[in-house]
Amino acid sequence: MSKRYTTWNDYLRASFGEKIFKVPIDAGFDCPNRDGTVAHGGCTFCTVSGSGDAIVAPDESIPVQFEKEVAFLHQKWPGVKKYIAYFQNFTNTHAPVAVLRERFEQAVNRPDVVGINIGTRPDCLAEDVLDYLAELNERMTVWVELGLQTTYQKTSDLINRAHDYQTYLVAVANLRARGILVCVHLINGLPGETAEMMVENVRRVVADSDIQGIKLHLLHLMKGTRMQRDFHQGDLRLLSFEEYVTVICDQLEIIPREISIHRLTGDAPRELLIGPMWSLKKWEVLNAIDAELARRDTYQGAKCLL
């Protein structure tokens, strides 16, 4: 490992033998808890872009988005030649399978695309969708990123997820039965959750579900979200820098080393962010996590071995 945990970059280099770009795409999907299928209003933390605030050209066609994202990424890493298409924001399986096929194929038919990552919800994986994903998985590496955010039903209801933990467990089982790789998303700092609860979220998903990757997010309080009201009413306390670093290290210690860590914090547009403002210094956060792991002389999975 290049660090004391298995990074997403480590996984990609081990799998493909070179650096791979993950290219974010807005395919124009909605969410079932926004359009009334299961609820209205969306998750209380979600912006109008559905977590796609950093996509370069979301209003362009999928092929044009892809080219513009690659050009942007090449400004920093000019030598990369292979890509993973990342259908990122909103719920990218919330549509008939014919629609999914038409939109996904615009990206995955490129000869330089070696994989696809699909961000979605556990309650949006119908049998025909699963079968199409299995078909894709015969052509390239397929990751499905499942937004769970929390294992606690009280928190889930509070943030308007509109599905339960059992739905997540069934979704993982159905994906793994088809050989599809699964990455789960969890958010640290949700209303009412203590550091102990955040660590328990990780312990549960590791123990209960056959996942191959995990994304650990910091809760970003964003302008224009329903959660903004909770903050102003005093029902939400934002994590401090030190608290976040501590809880991430505690979580890493109980994640088996074979599970790749896709993210340990996130990015938020400065103009939309209410807090924590320290999160804008992403590399300082990541460096502090490395330093704390070194200080403890610990590493990912250290407490899985006890």
Side-chain angles (χ1 to χ4, degrees):
M1 294 188 294
S2 61
K3 292 180 176 285
R4 289 172 178 256
Y5 54 91
T6 304
T7 68
W8 174 237
N9 188 55
D10 289 334
Y11 163 79
L12 291 175
R13 286 191 179 276
S15 299
F16 298 102
E18 60 188 288
K19 187 170 182 63
I20 306 291
F21 274 161
K22 191 175 178 183
V23 181
I25 293 170
D26 183 338
F29 294 107
D30 203 341
C31 281
N33 65 341
R34 295 169 64 104
D35 66 10
T37 304
V38 297
H40 292 279
C43 296
T44 62
F45 57 79
C46 197
T47 65
V48 293
S49 73
S51 301
D53 302 290
I55 293 176
V56 171
D59 296 325
E60 300 280 7
S61 68
I62 289 172
V64 171
Q65 283 187 57
F66 199 103
E67 291 296 340
K68 288 190 174 183
E69 290 287 347
V70 167
F72 177 75
L73 292 167
H74 276 170
Q75 293 175 23
K76 187 172 182 180
W77 295 285
V80 177
K81 298 178 180 178
K82 294 182 180 178
Y83 312 102
I84 290 174
Y86 180 27
F87 288 82
Q88 180 181 13
N89 54 325
F90 295 116
T91 303
N92 291 277
T93 57
H94 182 46
V97 71
V99 175
L100 305 185
R101 185 183 294 272
E102 185 272 333
R103 296 184 191 179
F104 291 171
E105 296 293 335
Q106 292 183 56
V108 301
N109 274 330
R110 295 173 55 107
D112 51 7
V113 170
V114 295
I116 182 172
N117 281 39
I118 301 164
T120 191
R121 289 166 53 96
D123 56 351
C124 290
L125 289 166
E127 285 294 315
D128 58 348
V129 171
L130 289 164
D131 290 341
Y132 172 53
L133 298 182
E135 175 191 322
L136 279 175
N137 199 43
E138 294 178 358
R139 295 159 52 190
M140 63 186 59
T141 300
V142 176
W143 280 88
V144 170
E145 300 192 14
L146 290 178
L148 174 62
Q149 320 312 356
T150 180
T151 65
Y152 290 92
Q153 193 59 46
K154 181 177 179 181
T155 310
S156 187
D157 293 342
L158 188 64
I159 63 176
N160 197 40
R161 282 301 293 172
H163 68 74
D164 60 13
Y165 185 48
Q166 183 60 32
T167 300
Y168 158 78
L169 296 177
V170 171
V172 175
N174 287 337
L175 289 163
R176 294 300 298 138
R178 291 165 171 82
I180 296 166
L181 301 170
V182 178
C183 175
V184 62
H185 292 214
L186 293 170
I187 297 178
N188 290 320
L190 290 171
E193 293 205 351
T194 63
E196 291 76 19
M197 293 169 72
M198 296 173 212
V199 174
E200 179 64 10
N201 280 326
V202 169
R203 190 202 65 77
R204 288 177 180 175
V205 297
V206 166
D208 298 344
S209 57
D210 179 18
I211 58 170
Q212 291 66 55
I214 189 166
K215 273 190 176 180
L216 299 172
H217 298 264
L218 168 68
L219 175 68
H220 289 114
L221 180 61
M222 308 286 279
K223 295 176 183 176
T225 61
R226 295 168 67 189
M227 191 170 282
Q228 190 175 355
R229 175 193 59 199
D230 298 330
F231 180 67
H232 290 314
Q233 292 176 346
D235 298 327
L236 173 66
R237 186 184 70 82
L238 300 178
L239 293 176
S240 71
F241 181 97
E242 294 76 16
E243 287 172 321
Y244 190 72
V245 169
T246 297
V247 79
I248 285 289
C249 293
D250 291 345
Q251 290 171 324
L252 285 172
E253 287 181 326
I254 63 171
I255 300 173
R257 293 180 72 165
E258 62 269 19
I259 294 177
S260 54
I261 309 300
H262 292 219
R263 176 166 287 184
L264 289 180
T265 184
D267 301 288
R270 180 182 292 271
E271 65 274 13
L272 294 179
L273 184 65
I274 297 172
M277 298 309 292
W278 56 259
S279 67
L280 292 170
K281 299 178 179 179
K282 181 177 178 179
W283 286 106
E284 288 188 15
V285 179
L286 294 174
N287 289 339
I289 291 167
D290 290 343
E292 175 61 13
L293 292 172
R295 186 193 69 79
R296 297 184 188 187
D297 192 22
T298 192
Y299 49 88
Q300 179 184 339
K303 293 189 177 178
C304 290
L305 305 178
L306 300 180

